[in-house]
Every structure is written in structure tokens, then in C-alpha cells.
Amino acid sequence: ANQTAMAELKESKKAFGISVNQYEHDSAVLGCKMKFSVLDGSGGSGAAMPVIYWLSGLTCSDRNFIEKAGAFKAAADHGVLIVCPDTSPRGVDIEGDNDSWDFGTGAGFYVNATEPKWAKNYNMYDYVTKELPSLISSTFKTTGKQSVMGHSMGGHGALTIAMKNTAFYSSVSAFAPICNPTQCPWGIKAFTGYLGAEKSTWEQYDATLLLKAAAKPPFPDILIDVGDADTFLPQGQLLPENFAAACTEKGQAVTLRMQPGYDHSYFFIASFIAEHIAFHAKFLKQ
């Protein structure tokens, strides 16, 4: 446990003057080999970088953001390291883990599972907040500052992780986040499976409830973009209005932008990612 796990470089590409790398490592927290990808915005300058974690959504891997978000130039412009973990343990072969797209593989929901069947491997919360940051700081030259952003299930991850670790993260933003998972079908399914039927244990992973319970507004501002043509909005999966109401109640500044005509896809994310990276860079460089 004392020796620092090493990340092995699997692939490196150059884009917009920066390195786009994929690494693999043995995860003690998840009990399997894991991959993560990075945009190394230092461009070989050797400069220490602040870190922005990107948490992806259901069915995604460490590659979706890298290949579809078009964040290369913004990462280079701001000299940031963008780290993209996977969305669940891989290859652990738990019965039922591939039965549906919104639970199990590719759907870790950034929680530490407590149900016996899932508890050994499905600890994405500890992976993202502890094991991965430790690996990143031993692999890259960082400033020691980090922020977090994400999409959909990963937007839920970003908001909850930031609110539970306000001293660790300088800022938080999200695209179409699952804002109130205890009240939506995706969240109810995932939390029942990973955490069990006792709903009081779910509250620690619900951004809207965490904000309501906070002693004071945790961040100077929170940036959230949602496409108003997102099909998951009328299905009640995202519930940004509930989070906005909690912000108002708590006096938490939030920049919630309903973007006309945009859907839930990476076409939407690519349209606004540069603004999110600039938002984080402002806080990371203070």
C-alpha cells in the first residue's frame, strides 16, 4: 500500500500542440485495471498545470470526451491538464453488470456501493476523489489545484463530489447534470442497486439535497448548461429546476443556462466546452 501505483502510457497523439494521452493502471479501489485519458495542456513546456477532472455520462468510457468534445485548443490556451476517468470498473464480471445500459458497466454513478454484490468493486467515488488524484499528482507536474466538471451522470458526479469536498475543488460546472437523482428514474434505479432500499443513504449523493443541507453556499458560482431540446428534460431525469430552487433558497450563485435547440449529445458539449474550461481556469489561477 505504501508504493505509489504507476500509470502506464498506452497511447499518445498530438493535437493543437498538446499531448492527448491514454494511461492504464491497477486500481486497488476498484479491484481491476483501469484506463484514463488526459489532455496535457502544457504543450511540453514543463509548466505545472492545474487539473480539471471531466466525469462522463452513462455508457461512456475515458475516450468520449477526448474524441468528441473538441477541448484541445481551450486546454492549450489555458495550460490545464484535463483528466478523464472511466465511468465504472471494467472486466470485474459481476452477474447482471451488463444487463442494462443505465446500471453496472459504464454506469458507476460516482458512488461507493454498499450492497454486498457491488461493494468490492463499485467505488467510483473513492476512485475519483482519492486514488486517481493521488496518481495524477505523482504522474504529472501539477499546481495542486483542481476543479471538476461533467455531463449527465457525470454532471451529477461533479456537483456531488465538489459539494462534499469544497476545500479540494476550486470550482465546479456541469452539462445536463442529473441534479436530483433521488427523485428521477435513473437515480432511483442506480441507488437502489448500489446502496440498497434505505433511502436516507442516498441523500449524500444528491446535489440538490447536499446543497440544501450545506451550512453556507459552497462556491462563488456554479456553471450549468442544459439544452432545452434535451429529451431527458421532459422525462424528469435531469431536474435542473430543483437544483436552481435549492440555490435560490441557499443563496448559492448559479449560472444556469438553458441553451435553445441543443440536445443531450457531445454536439452540445463541444459548443460550450471552451466557456467551461475558461470558467474553471479563472478560479484555478486565483
Side-chain angles (χ1 to χ4, degrees):
N2 281 342
Q3 67 197 75
T4 309
M6 293 302 293
E8 182 195 351
L9 181 64
K10 304 298 281 186
E11 179 184 294
S12 184
K13 306 277 189 197
K14 187 172 182 177
F16 290 78
I18 67 170
S19 295
V20 183
N21 294 346
Q22 186 181 46
Y23 296 86
E24 189 174 60
H25 72 106
D26 290 309
S27 168
V29 167
L30 304 178
C32 61
K33 274 198 184 306
M34 291 295 285
K35 292 187 171 86
F36 66 89
S37 292
V38 307
L39 301 183
D40 178 345
S42 67
S45 68
M49 296 171 286
V51 182
I52 306 175
Y53 289 90
W54 170 270
L55 305 182
S56 279
L58 291 163
T59 74
C60 290
S61 72
D62 61 305
R63 300 303 290 174
N64 297 66
F65 179 89
I66 297 292
E67 292 167 2
K68 294 180 172 179
F72 314 110
K73 187 175 185 304
D77 288 347
H78 294 285
V80 294
L81 179 72
I82 302 181
V83 176
C84 304
D86 206 339
T87 54
S88 76
R90 296 285 170 174
V92 294
D93 293 332
I94 300 168
E95 185 252 328
D97 66 359
N98 283 309
D99 288 357
S100 57
W101 64 277
D102 55 1
F103 184 79
T105 305
F109 266 86
Y110 306 100
V111 303
N112 288 336
T114 52
E115 286 294 280
K117 183 174 166 180
W118 306 97
K120 178 174 175 281
N121 304 103
Y122 275 71
N123 298 300
M124 287 301 291
Y125 177 85
D126 277 356
Y127 178 70
V128 167
T129 59
K130 297 182 181 138
E131 189 177 36
L132 187 58
S134 155
L135 191 60
I136 294 302
S137 63
S138 63
T139 307
F140 300 93
K141 191 170 167 188
T142 68
T143 61
K145 286 193 146 189
Q146 51 276 313
S147 294
V148 62
M149 59 182 180
H151 170 234
S152 198
M153 173 183 74
H156 140 76
L159 291 171
T160 54
I161 280 167
M163 276 193 272
K164 287 157 74 77
N165 302 276
T166 54
F168 190 69
Y169 298 99
S170 298
S171 51
V172 58
S173 75
F175 290 82
I178 301 171
C179 289
N180 196 183
T182 59
Q183 301 301 315
C184 81
W186 280 335
I188 292 165
K189 176 177 178 174
F191 291 173
T192 303
Y194 296 133
L195 306 173
E198 178 45 63
K199 292 190 177 177
S200 63
T201 66
W202 301 2
E203 295 173 8
Q204 62 178 310
Y205 297 115
D206 184 311
T208 298
L209 299 180
L210 284 169
L211 185 59
K212 284 183 174 177
K216 61 182 201 302
F219 292 98
D221 192 10
I222 296 171
L223 175 60
I224 299 175
D225 278 316
V226 183
D228 75 359
D230 189 321
T231 50
F232 297 117
L233 207 49
Q235 291 174 23
Q237 295 283 22
L238 308 177
L239 304 171
E241 63 277 14
N242 295 6
F243 186 74
C247 286
T248 303
E249 183 186 310
K250 193 52 74 172
Q252 168 64 56
V254 63
T255 305
L256 171 59
R257 309 188 300 188
M258 300 304 297
Q259 301 288 6
Y262 288 91
D263 66 7
H264 198 68
S265 71
Y266 269 86
F267 295 105
F268 157 59
I269 295 168
S271 305
F272 302 102
I273 191 61
E275 291 174 48
H276 283 246
I277 293 167
F279 171 83
H280 292 297
K282 182 178 70 180
F283 292 107
L284 288 164
K285 305 213 166 162
Q286 272 175 9

